Amino acid sequence: MNRRDFITLLAGAVAAWPLAAQAQLTERMRRIGLLMGAADDPEGQARVRALKQGLQDLGWTDGRNIQIETRFGGADAGRIRDQAAELVALAPDVLVGQTTPVVRALRQATSSIPIVVATVNDPVEQGFVSSLAHPGGNITGFMFIDFQMVGKWLEMLKEAAPGVARAALMFNPDTSPYYYLYLRSFEAVPRSVAVEVTAAPVRDTAEVEEAIAKLGRQPGGGLIVPPDAFTLVHHQLLIRLAQQHRLPAVYAFRTHVAEGALMSYGPDPYDSFRRSASYVDRILKGAKPADLPVQQPTKFELAINLKTAKALGLQIPDKLVAIADEVVE
């Protein structure tokens, strides 16, 4: 084959390449840093998969045109800070975070790299953004709990367990510094519910055991477990202790009901992670976090475990069962 024929053949071959293949050769690999305020367990991995699926639906595939660096910090504040600094040092195009300790650590580590929050509670009150409509900085994303609706936990707990007269709101003040917002929201609950709500701050598993044992020693006790990095990591302990001390309890995550929790009501966390992919996509295409309004949850789920209810001697009202998204029998 002479030189002219070879060049002609090569030019024809290049022209025949699929356009997508040519684009792939020239497209820059984008890097995403993902810091999870959850444990590296099946539930944490499921949330990561939800984000990846959301990105893939928008044309971003890990290992092809994006590289996702994932870290799991759990509820360890020191570890979260170290991992936030580690991810920022990689100079990613965008960071994705979950939970208050994670967002706080990422904000301290960078004021220039865009941060998309997959789930966080009241980012305005915590000072992460200026307002929901106009975040104003390098942080935007998706709220997890709308504090206007948390009183429903108390109402549903009372409906499922009419004997509850006192309910403890359990949280770790180090990972949930906004706990007072929860307590304030209960003030709007109708007086007809007739349940006294008290704070039960805990910082380690020993304090969890002590607080639940104390609550269980007197009749009429109930437990409310809001979303919190600490209670998420230790949810299995909370479920076991609530069963052991025969305490009716309501949680935020539907997956906990399948593990033995009495009931849960809250947003779908996997939906939040899938939705956060849309903001990652827009930022990778040039949008600024300051121009992307913080979005509130749109999908809430009620789940009930009738087996646990029976063990506690409770008869869940038919109307509550009828509206549940999931019933474990």
Side-chain angles (χ1 to χ4, degrees), residues 33-35 51 93-100 102-104 106-107 110-124 127-144 272-273 275-284 286-296:
L34 172 60
L35 183 50
L51 173 65
D93 296 279
V94 62
L95 291 159
V96 180
Q98 170 210 19
T99 76
T100 288
V102 165
V103 180
R104 184 192 298 126
L106 290 175
R107 186 181 67 164
T110 180
S111 59
S112 57
I113 299 174
I115 299 171
V116 174
V117 180
T119 58
V120 74
N121 297 329
D122 206 328
V124 176
F128 296 146
V129 298
S130 298
S131 70
L132 298 184
H134 304 285
N138 66 318
I139 300 175
T140 188
F142 298 79
M143 287 179 60
F144 188 67
S272 296
F273 273 84
R275 292 174 67 204
S276 67
S278 66
Y279 271 13
V280 174
D281 171 65
R282 293 176 65 176
I283 289 172
L284 291 178
K288 296 180 179 180
D291 300 328
L292 299 175
V294 175
Q295 297 190 36
Q296 298 191 33

Side-chain angles (χ1 to χ4, degrees), residues 119-325:
T119 58
V120 74
N121 297 329
D122 206 328
V124 176
E125 187 74 25
Q126 296 193 73
F128 296 146
V129 298
S130 298
S131 70
L132 298 184
H134 304 285
N138 66 318
I139 300 175
T140 188
F142 298 79
M143 287 179 60
F144 188 67
I145 284 293
D146 175 358
F147 289 105
Q148 300 299 316
M149 53 71 60
V150 295
K152 293 182 180 179
W153 286 329
L154 188 59
E155 295 179 40
M156 289 182 174
L157 181 62
K158 181 68 173 180
E159 191 170 355
V164 171
R166 297 171 294 101
L169 180 76
M170 184 163 286
F171 59 90
N172 184 326
D174 295 330
T175 55
S176 291
Y178 47 79
Y179 72 91
Y180 60 90
L181 294 171
Y182 287 121
L183 294 173
R184 192 169 66 195
S185 69
F186 287 117
E187 296 174 2
V189 176
R191 293 184 179 275
S192 58
V193 175
V195 177
E196 178 188 1
V197 181
T198 57
V202 291
R203 286 185 167 84
D204 53 43
T205 55
E207 291 186 358
V208 170
E209 294 181 3
E210 181 181 352
I212 293 182
K214 180 180 179 181
L215 190 62
R217 280 195 287 268
Q218 298 179 356
L223 181 65
I224 299 171
V225 185
D228 167 16
F230 177 83
T231 57
L232 177 61
V233 170
H234 298 291
H235 72 275
Q236 292 178 334
L237 173 64
L238 290 166
I239 293 170
R240 178 174 60 80
L241 290 173
Q243 292 175 339
Q244 178 183 332
H245 294 280
R246 299 182 61 78
L247 281 174
V250 60
Y251 303 76
F253 299 109
R254 176 176 176 173
T255 52
H256 295 175
V257 173
E259 298 181 56
L262 172 63
M263 63 191 304
S264 69
Y265 181 71
D268 178 354
Y270 308 122
D271 182 62
S272 296
F273 273 84
R274 283 189 293 269
R275 292 174 67 204
S276 67
S278 66
Y279 271 13
V280 174
D281 171 65
R282 293 176 65 176
I283 289 172
L284 291 178
K285 292 176 179 176
K288 296 180 179 180
D291 300 328
L292 299 175
V294 175
Q295 297 190 36
Q296 298 191 33
T298 58
K299 183 180 179 182
F300 294 84
E301 302 175 314
L302 170 64
I304 300 171
N305 191 317
L306 294 182
K307 183 177 179 180
T308 299
K310 183 177 180 180
L312 294 173
L314 299 174
Q315 179 65 46
I316 306 296
D318 291 340
K319 63 178 182 179
L320 201 57
V321 174
I323 63 173
D325 297 278

